[in-house]
mmCIF file with all atom_site columns, all heavy atoms in Angstrom:
data_model
loop_
_atom_site.group_PDB
_atom_site.id
_atom_site.type_symbol
_atom_site.label_atom_id
_atom_site.label_alt_id
_atom_site.label_comp_id
_atom_site.label_asym_id
_atom_site.label_entity_id
_atom_site.label_seq_id
_atom_site.pdbx_PDB_ins_code
_atom_site.Cartn_x
_atom_site.Cartn_y
_atom_site.Cartn_z
_atom_site.occupancy
_atom_site.B_iso_or_equiv
_atom_site.pdbx_formal_charge
_atom_site.auth_seq_id
_atom_site.auth_comp_id
_atom_site.auth_asym_id
_atom_site.auth_atom_id
_atom_site.pdbx_PDB_model_num
ATOM 1   N N   . LYS A 1 166 ? 11.969 29.747 -18.480 1.00 93.00 ? 166 LYS A N   1
ATOM 2   C CA  . LYS A 1 166 ? 11.956 30.702 -17.353 1.00 93.00 ? 166 LYS A CA  1
ATOM 3   C C   . LYS A 1 166 ? 11.630 30.036 -16.084 1.00 93.00 ? 166 LYS A C   1
ATOM 4   O O   . LYS A 1 166 ? 12.243 30.372 -15.039 1.00 93.00 ? 166 LYS A O   1
ATOM 5   C CB  . LYS A 1 166 ? 10.820 31.722 -17.590 1.00 93.00 ? 166 LYS A CB  1
ATOM 6   C CG  . LYS A 1 166 ? 10.790 32.952 -16.598 1.00 93.00 ? 166 LYS A CG  1
ATOM 7   C CD  . LYS A 1 166 ? 9.712  33.968 -17.064 1.00 93.00 ? 166 LYS A CD  1
ATOM 8   C CE  . LYS A 1 166 ? 9.651  35.184 -16.137 1.00 93.00 ? 166 LYS A CE  1
ATOM 9   N NZ  . LYS A 1 166 ? 8.598  36.105 -16.572 1.00 93.00 ? 166 LYS A NZ  1
ATOM 10  N N   . THR A 1 237 ? 8.356  35.160 -10.490 1.00 92.00 ? 237 THR A N   1
ATOM 11  C CA  . THR A 1 237 ? 8.045  35.587 -11.874 1.00 92.00 ? 237 THR A CA  1
ATOM 12  C C   . THR A 1 237 ? 7.614  34.420 -12.821 1.00 92.00 ? 237 THR A C   1
ATOM 13  O O   . THR A 1 237 ? 7.046  34.624 -13.885 1.00 92.00 ? 237 THR A O   1
ATOM 14  C CB  . THR A 1 237 ? 9.185  36.315 -12.479 1.00 92.00 ? 237 THR A CB  1
ATOM 15  O OG1 . THR A 1 237 ? 10.465 35.596 -12.327 1.00 92.00 ? 237 THR A OG1 1
ATOM 16  C CG2 . THR A 1 237 ? 9.398  37.690 -11.730 1.00 92.00 ? 237 THR A CG2 1
ATOM 17  N N   . TYR A 1 559 ? 6.233  45.514 -12.620 1.00 93.00 ? 559 TYR A N   1
ATOM 18  C CA  . TYR A 1 559 ? 7.396  45.631 -13.523 1.00 93.00 ? 559 TYR A CA  1
ATOM 19  C C   . TYR A 1 559 ? 8.576  44.775 -13.019 1.00 93.00 ? 559 TYR A C   1
ATOM 20  O O   . TYR A 1 559 ? 9.802  45.177 -13.274 1.00 93.00 ? 559 TYR A O   1
ATOM 21  C CB  . TYR A 1 559 ? 7.850  47.204 -13.631 1.00 93.00 ? 559 TYR A CB  1
ATOM 22  C CG  . TYR A 1 559 ? 6.822  48.008 -14.410 1.00 93.00 ? 559 TYR A CG  1
ATOM 23  C CD1 . TYR A 1 559 ? 6.053  48.831 -13.634 1.00 93.00 ? 559 TYR A CD1 1
ATOM 24  C CD2 . TYR A 1 559 ? 6.755  47.979 -15.775 1.00 93.00 ? 559 TYR A CD2 1
ATOM 25  C CE1 . TYR A 1 559 ? 5.062  49.668 -14.329 1.00 93.00 ? 559 TYR A CE1 1
ATOM 26  C CE2 . TYR A 1 559 ? 5.856  48.744 -16.387 1.00 93.00 ? 559 TYR A CE2 1
ATOM 27  C CZ  . TYR A 1 559 ? 5.120  49.668 -15.693 1.00 93.00 ? 559 TYR A CZ  1
ATOM 28  O OH  . TYR A 1 559 ? 4.115  50.427 -16.326 1.00 93.00 ? 559 TYR A OH  1
ATOM 29  N N   . PHE A 1 560 ? 8.256  43.693 -12.439 1.00 93.00 ? 560 PHE A N   1
ATOM 30  C CA  . PHE A 1 560 ? 9.289  42.826 -12.031 1.00 93.00 ? 560 PHE A CA  1
ATOM 31  C C   . PHE A 1 560 ? 10.089 42.185 -13.257 1.00 93.00 ? 560 PHE A C   1
ATOM 32  O O   . PHE A 1 560 ? 11.328 42.087 -13.290 1.00 93.00 ? 560 PHE A O   1
ATOM 33  C CB  . PHE A 1 560 ? 8.801  41.659 -11.169 1.00 93.00 ? 560 PHE A CB  1
ATOM 34  C CG  . PHE A 1 560 ? 8.960  41.954 -9.673  1.00 93.00 ? 560 PHE A CG  1
ATOM 35  C CD1 . PHE A 1 560 ? 7.900  42.515 -9.019  1.00 93.00 ? 560 PHE A CD1 1
ATOM 36  C CD2 . PHE A 1 560 ? 10.130 41.699 -8.981  1.00 93.00 ? 560 PHE A CD2 1
ATOM 37  C CE1 . PHE A 1 560 ? 7.950  42.721 -7.615  1.00 93.00 ? 560 PHE A CE1 1
ATOM 38  C CE2 . PHE A 1 560 ? 10.208 41.862 -7.627  1.00 93.00 ? 560 PHE A CE2 1
ATOM 39  C CZ  . PHE A 1 560 ? 9.090  42.430 -6.896  1.00 93.00 ? 560 PHE A CZ  1
ATOM 40  N N   . ASP A 1 561 ? 9.317  41.781 -14.258 1.00 91.00 ? 561 ASP A N   1
ATOM 41  C CA  . ASP A 1 561 ? 9.933  41.215 -15.459 1.00 91.00 ? 561 ASP A CA  1
ATOM 42  C C   . ASP A 1 561 ? 10.895 42.275 -16.065 1.00 91.00 ? 561 ASP A C   1
ATOM 43  O O   . ASP A 1 561 ? 11.965 41.916 -16.518 1.00 91.00 ? 561 ASP A O   1
ATOM 44  C CB  . ASP A 1 561 ? 8.972  40.755 -16.451 1.00 91.00 ? 561 ASP A CB  1
ATOM 45  C CG  . ASP A 1 561 ? 8.236  39.440 -15.992 1.00 91.00 ? 561 ASP A CG  1
ATOM 46  O OD1 . ASP A 1 561 ? 8.914  38.668 -15.338 1.00 91.00 ? 561 ASP A OD1 1
ATOM 47  O OD2 . ASP A 1 561 ? 7.015  39.264 -16.223 1.00 91.00 ? 561 ASP A OD2 1
ATOM 48  N N   . GLU A 1 562 ? 10.393 43.495 -16.215 1.00 92.00 ? 562 GLU A N   1
ATOM 49  C CA  . GLU A 1 562 ? 11.229 44.536 -16.815 1.00 92.00 ? 562 GLU A CA  1
ATOM 50  C C   . GLU A 1 562 ? 12.559 44.847 -16.006 1.00 92.00 ? 562 GLU A C   1
ATOM 51  O O   . GLU A 1 562 ? 13.479 45.024 -16.550 1.00 92.00 ? 562 GLU A O   1
ATOM 52  C CB  . GLU A 1 562 ? 10.352 45.780 -17.026 1.00 92.00 ? 562 GLU A CB  1
ATOM 53  C CG  . GLU A 1 562 ? 9.216  45.705 -18.051 1.00 92.00 ? 562 GLU A CG  1
ATOM 54  C CD  . GLU A 1 562 ? 8.002  44.945 -17.627 1.00 92.00 ? 562 GLU A CD  1
ATOM 55  O OE1 . GLU A 1 562 ? 8.021  44.633 -16.419 1.00 92.00 ? 562 GLU A OE1 1
ATOM 56  O OE2 . GLU A 1 562 ? 7.154  44.808 -18.530 1.00 92.00 ? 562 GLU A OE2 1
ATOM 57  N N   . LEU A 1 563 ? 12.294 44.850 -14.663 1.00 93.00 ? 563 LEU A N   1
ATOM 58  C CA  . LEU A 1 563 ? 13.494 45.032 -13.863 1.00 93.00 ? 563 LEU A CA  1
ATOM 59  C C   . LEU A 1 563 ? 14.493 43.889 -14.003 1.00 93.00 ? 563 LEU A C   1
ATOM 60  O O   . LEU A 1 563 ? 15.689 44.168 -14.151 1.00 93.00 ? 563 LEU A O   1
ATOM 61  C CB  . LEU A 1 563 ? 13.007 45.132 -12.350 1.00 93.00 ? 563 LEU A CB  1
ATOM 62  C CG  . LEU A 1 563 ? 14.038 45.464 -11.259 1.00 93.00 ? 563 LEU A CG  1
ATOM 63  C CD1 . LEU A 1 563 ? 14.705 46.707 -11.452 1.00 93.00 ? 563 LEU A CD1 1
ATOM 64  C CD2 . LEU A 1 563 ? 13.386 45.235 -9.942  1.00 93.00 ? 563 LEU A CD2 1
ATOM 65  N N   . TYR A 1 564 ? 14.085 42.706 -13.969 1.00 92.00 ? 564 TYR A N   1
ATOM 66  C CA  . TYR A 1 564 ? 14.997 41.601 -14.087 1.00 92.00 ? 564 TYR A CA  1
ATOM 67  C C   . TYR A 1 564 ? 15.642 41.567 -15.407 1.00 92.00 ? 564 TYR A C   1
ATOM 68  O O   . TYR A 1 564 ? 16.750 41.187 -15.637 1.00 92.00 ? 564 TYR A O   1
ATOM 69  C CB  . TYR A 1 564 ? 14.212 40.261 -13.741 1.00 92.00 ? 564 TYR A CB  1
ATOM 70  C CG  . TYR A 1 564 ? 13.944 40.039 -12.378 1.00 92.00 ? 564 TYR A CG  1
ATOM 71  C CD1 . TYR A 1 564 ? 13.128 38.887 -11.971 1.00 92.00 ? 564 TYR A CD1 1
ATOM 72  C CD2 . TYR A 1 564 ? 14.365 40.843 -11.339 1.00 92.00 ? 564 TYR A CD2 1
ATOM 73  C CE1 . TYR A 1 564 ? 12.820 38.733 -10.628 1.00 92.00 ? 564 TYR A CE1 1
ATOM 74  C CE2 . TYR A 1 564 ? 14.064 40.675 -10.026 1.00 92.00 ? 564 TYR A CE2 1
ATOM 75  C CZ  . TYR A 1 564 ? 13.304 39.630 -9.633  1.00 92.00 ? 564 TYR A CZ  1
ATOM 76  O OH  . TYR A 1 564 ? 13.042 39.486 -8.296  1.00 92.00 ? 564 TYR A OH  1
ATOM 77  N N   . ASP A 1 565 ? 14.822 42.009 -16.398 1.00 90.00 ? 565 ASP A N   1
ATOM 78  C CA  . ASP A 1 565 ? 15.377 42.087 -17.846 1.00 90.00 ? 565 ASP A CA  1
ATOM 79  C C   . ASP A 1 565 ? 16.523 43.049 -17.938 1.00 90.00 ? 565 ASP A C   1
ATOM 80  O O   . ASP A 1 565 ? 17.531 42.768 -18.488 1.00 90.00 ? 565 ASP A O   1
ATOM 81  C CB  . ASP A 1 565 ? 14.334 42.399 -18.745 1.00 90.00 ? 565 ASP A CB  1
ATOM 82  C CG  . ASP A 1 565 ? 14.761 42.412 -20.199 1.00 90.00 ? 565 ASP A CG  1
ATOM 83  O OD1 . ASP A 1 565 ? 15.144 41.336 -20.737 1.00 90.00 ? 565 ASP A OD1 1
ATOM 84  O OD2 . ASP A 1 565 ? 14.771 43.489 -20.859 1.00 90.00 ? 565 ASP A OD2 1
ATOM 85  N N   . ALA A 1 566 ? 16.389 44.162 -17.203 1.00 93.00 ? 566 ALA A N   1
ATOM 86  C CA  . ALA A 1 566 ? 17.422 45.223 -17.151 1.00 93.00 ? 566 ALA A CA  1
ATOM 87  C C   . ALA A 1 566 ? 18.583 44.852 -16.372 1.00 93.00 ? 566 ALA A C   1
ATOM 88  O O   . ALA A 1 566 ? 19.790 45.122 -16.741 1.00 93.00 ? 566 ALA A O   1
ATOM 89  C CB  . ALA A 1 566 ? 16.791 46.530 -16.669 1.00 93.00 ? 566 ALA A CB  1
ATOM 90  N N   . ILE A 1 567 ? 18.350 44.168 -15.130 1.00 92.00 ? 567 ILE A N   1
ATOM 91  C CA  . ILE A 1 567 ? 19.421 43.926 -14.258 1.00 92.00 ? 567 ILE A CA  1
ATOM 92  C C   . ILE A 1 567 ? 20.243 42.580 -14.636 1.00 92.00 ? 567 ILE A C   1
ATOM 93  O O   . ILE A 1 567 ? 21.427 42.467 -14.619 1.00 92.00 ? 567 ILE A O   1
ATOM 94  C CB  . ILE A 1 567 ? 18.949 43.695 -12.949 1.00 92.00 ? 567 ILE A CB  1
ATOM 95  C CG1 . ILE A 1 567 ? 18.354 45.113 -12.341 1.00 92.00 ? 567 ILE A CG1 1
ATOM 96  C CG2 . ILE A 1 567 ? 19.936 43.224 -11.960 1.00 92.00 ? 567 ILE A CG2 1
ATOM 97  C CD1 . ILE A 1 567 ? 17.642 44.917 -10.974 1.00 92.00 ? 567 ILE A CD1 1
ATOM 98  N N   . PHE A 1 568 ? 19.445 41.558 -15.085 1.00 90.00 ? 568 PHE A N   1
ATOM 99  C CA  . PHE A 1 568 ? 20.133 40.313 -15.276 1.00 90.00 ? 568 PHE A CA  1
ATOM 100 C C   . PHE A 1 568 ? 20.199 39.812 -16.717 1.00 90.00 ? 568 PHE A C   1
ATOM 101 O O   . PHE A 1 568 ? 21.201 39.464 -17.237 1.00 90.00 ? 568 PHE A O   1
ATOM 102 C CB  . PHE A 1 568 ? 19.286 39.147 -14.573 1.00 90.00 ? 568 PHE A CB  1
ATOM 103 C CG  . PHE A 1 568 ? 19.315 39.435 -13.071 1.00 90.00 ? 568 PHE A CG  1
ATOM 104 C CD1 . PHE A 1 568 ? 18.122 39.666 -12.437 1.00 90.00 ? 568 PHE A CD1 1
ATOM 105 C CD2 . PHE A 1 568 ? 20.445 39.282 -12.334 1.00 90.00 ? 568 PHE A CD2 1
ATOM 106 C CE1 . PHE A 1 568 ? 18.103 39.943 -11.061 1.00 90.00 ? 568 PHE A CE1 1
ATOM 107 C CE2 . PHE A 1 568 ? 20.441 39.522 -10.923 1.00 90.00 ? 568 PHE A CE2 1
ATOM 108 C CZ  . PHE A 1 568 ? 19.244 39.849 -10.285 1.00 90.00 ? 568 PHE A CZ  1
ATOM 109 N N   . VAL A 1 569 ? 19.039 39.953 -17.474 1.00 87.00 ? 569 VAL A N   1
ATOM 110 C CA  . VAL A 1 569 ? 18.936 39.354 -18.758 1.00 87.00 ? 569 VAL A CA  1
ATOM 111 C C   . VAL A 1 569 ? 19.853 40.092 -19.850 1.00 87.00 ? 569 VAL A C   1
ATOM 112 O O   . VAL A 1 569 ? 20.631 39.570 -20.598 1.00 87.00 ? 569 VAL A O   1
ATOM 113 C CB  . VAL A 1 569 ? 17.490 39.317 -19.332 1.00 87.00 ? 569 VAL A CB  1
ATOM 114 C CG1 . VAL A 1 569 ? 17.385 38.676 -20.820 1.00 87.00 ? 569 VAL A CG1 1
ATOM 115 C CG2 . VAL A 1 569 ? 16.672 38.439 -18.399 1.00 87.00 ? 569 VAL A CG2 1
ATOM 116 N N   . ARG A 1 570 ? 19.656 41.420 -19.920 1.00 91.00 ? 570 ARG A N   1
ATOM 117 C CA  . ARG A 1 570 ? 20.408 42.196 -20.912 1.00 91.00 ? 570 ARG A CA  1
ATOM 118 C C   . ARG A 1 570 ? 21.869 42.165 -20.558 1.00 91.00 ? 570 ARG A C   1
ATOM 119 O O   . ARG A 1 570 ? 22.697 41.908 -21.614 1.00 91.00 ? 570 ARG A O   1
ATOM 120 C CB  . ARG A 1 570 ? 19.922 43.713 -21.018 1.00 91.00 ? 570 ARG A CB  1
ATOM 121 C CG  . ARG A 1 570 ? 18.506 43.820 -21.560 1.00 91.00 ? 570 ARG A CG  1
ATOM 122 C CD  . ARG A 1 570 ? 18.003 45.206 -21.598 1.00 91.00 ? 570 ARG A CD  1
ATOM 123 N NE  . ARG A 1 570 ? 16.608 45.348 -21.983 1.00 91.00 ? 570 ARG A NE  1
ATOM 124 C CZ  . ARG A 1 570 ? 15.997 46.517 -22.029 1.00 91.00 ? 570 ARG A CZ  1
ATOM 125 N NH1 . ARG A 1 570 ? 16.551 47.643 -21.652 1.00 91.00 ? 570 ARG A NH1 1
ATOM 126 N NH2 . ARG A 1 570 ? 14.751 46.541 -22.366 1.00 91.00 ? 570 ARG A NH2 1
ATOM 127 N N   . PRO A 1 571 ? 22.379 42.427 -19.446 1.00 93.00 ? 571 PRO A N   1
ATOM 128 C CA  . PRO A 1 571 ? 23.770 42.226 -19.146 1.00 93.00 ? 571 PRO A CA  1
ATOM 129 C C   . PRO A 1 571 ? 24.338 40.853 -19.479 1.00 93.00 ? 571 PRO A C   1
ATOM 130 O O   . PRO A 1 571 ? 25.422 40.711 -19.961 1.00 93.00 ? 571 PRO A O   1
ATOM 131 C CB  . PRO A 1 571 ? 23.884 42.578 -17.634 1.00 93.00 ? 571 PRO A CB  1
ATOM 132 C CG  . PRO A 1 571 ? 22.791 43.374 -17.270 1.00 93.00 ? 571 PRO A CG  1
ATOM 133 C CD  . PRO A 1 571 ? 21.615 42.952 -18.215 1.00 93.00 ? 571 PRO A CD  1
ATOM 134 N N   . ALA A 1 572 ? 23.529 39.847 -19.103 1.00 89.00 ? 572 ALA A N   1
ATOM 135 C CA  . ALA A 1 572 ? 23.969 38.479 -19.501 1.00 89.00 ? 572 ALA A CA  1
ATOM 136 C C   . ALA A 1 572 ? 24.098 38.270 -20.991 1.00 89.00 ? 572 ALA A C   1
ATOM 137 O O   . ALA A 1 572 ? 25.069 37.599 -21.464 1.00 89.00 ? 572 ALA A O   1
ATOM 138 C CB  . ALA A 1 572 ? 23.026 37.483 -18.875 1.00 89.00 ? 572 ALA A CB  1
ATOM 139 N N   . ARG A 1 573 ? 23.077 38.814 -21.746 1.00 89.00 ? 573 ARG A N   1
ATOM 140 C CA  . ARG A 1 573 ? 23.223 38.718 -23.176 1.00 89.00 ? 573 ARG A CA  1
ATOM 141 C C   . ARG A 1 573 ? 24.385 39.456 -23.798 1.00 89.00 ? 573 ARG A C   1
ATOM 142 O O   . ARG A 1 573 ? 25.085 39.002 -24.630 1.00 89.00 ? 573 ARG A O   1
ATOM 143 C CB  . ARG A 1 573 ? 21.931 39.175 -23.815 1.00 89.00 ? 573 ARG A CB  1
ATOM 144 C CG  . ARG A 1 573 ? 20.751 38.254 -23.710 1.00 89.00 ? 573 ARG A CG  1
ATOM 145 C CD  . ARG A 1 573 ? 19.516 38.753 -24.346 1.00 89.00 ? 573 ARG A CD  1
ATOM 146 N NE  . ARG A 1 573 ? 18.390 37.868 -24.353 1.00 89.00 ? 573 ARG A NE  1
ATOM 147 C CZ  . ARG A 1 573 ? 17.104 38.024 -24.698 1.00 89.00 ? 573 ARG A CZ  1
ATOM 148 N NH1 . ARG A 1 573 ? 16.876 39.242 -25.118 1.00 89.00 ? 573 ARG A NH1 1
ATOM 149 N NH2 . ARG A 1 573 ? 16.225 37.152 -24.654 1.00 89.00 ? 573 ARG A NH2 1
ATOM 150 N N   . ALA A 1 574 ? 24.666 40.661 -23.240 1.00 90.00 ? 574 ALA A N   1
ATOM 151 C CA  . ALA A 1 574 ? 25.782 41.427 -23.701 1.00 90.00 ? 574 ALA A CA  1
ATOM 152 C C   . ALA A 1 574 ? 27.142 40.710 -23.411 1.00 90.00 ? 574 ALA A C   1
ATOM 153 O O   . ALA A 1 574 ? 27.995 40.647 -24.171 1.00 90.00 ? 574 ALA A O   1
ATOM 154 C CB  . ALA A 1 574 ? 25.758 42.940 -22.959 1.00 90.00 ? 574 ALA A CB  1
#
Side-chain angles (χ1 to χ4, degrees):
K166 186 176 182 179
T237 53
Y559 292 103
F560 265 97
D561 285 325
E562 290 77 5
L563 178 65
Y564 287 174
D565 184 64
I567 295 176
F568 301 112
V569 178
R570 291 181 187 175
R573 284 180 174 173

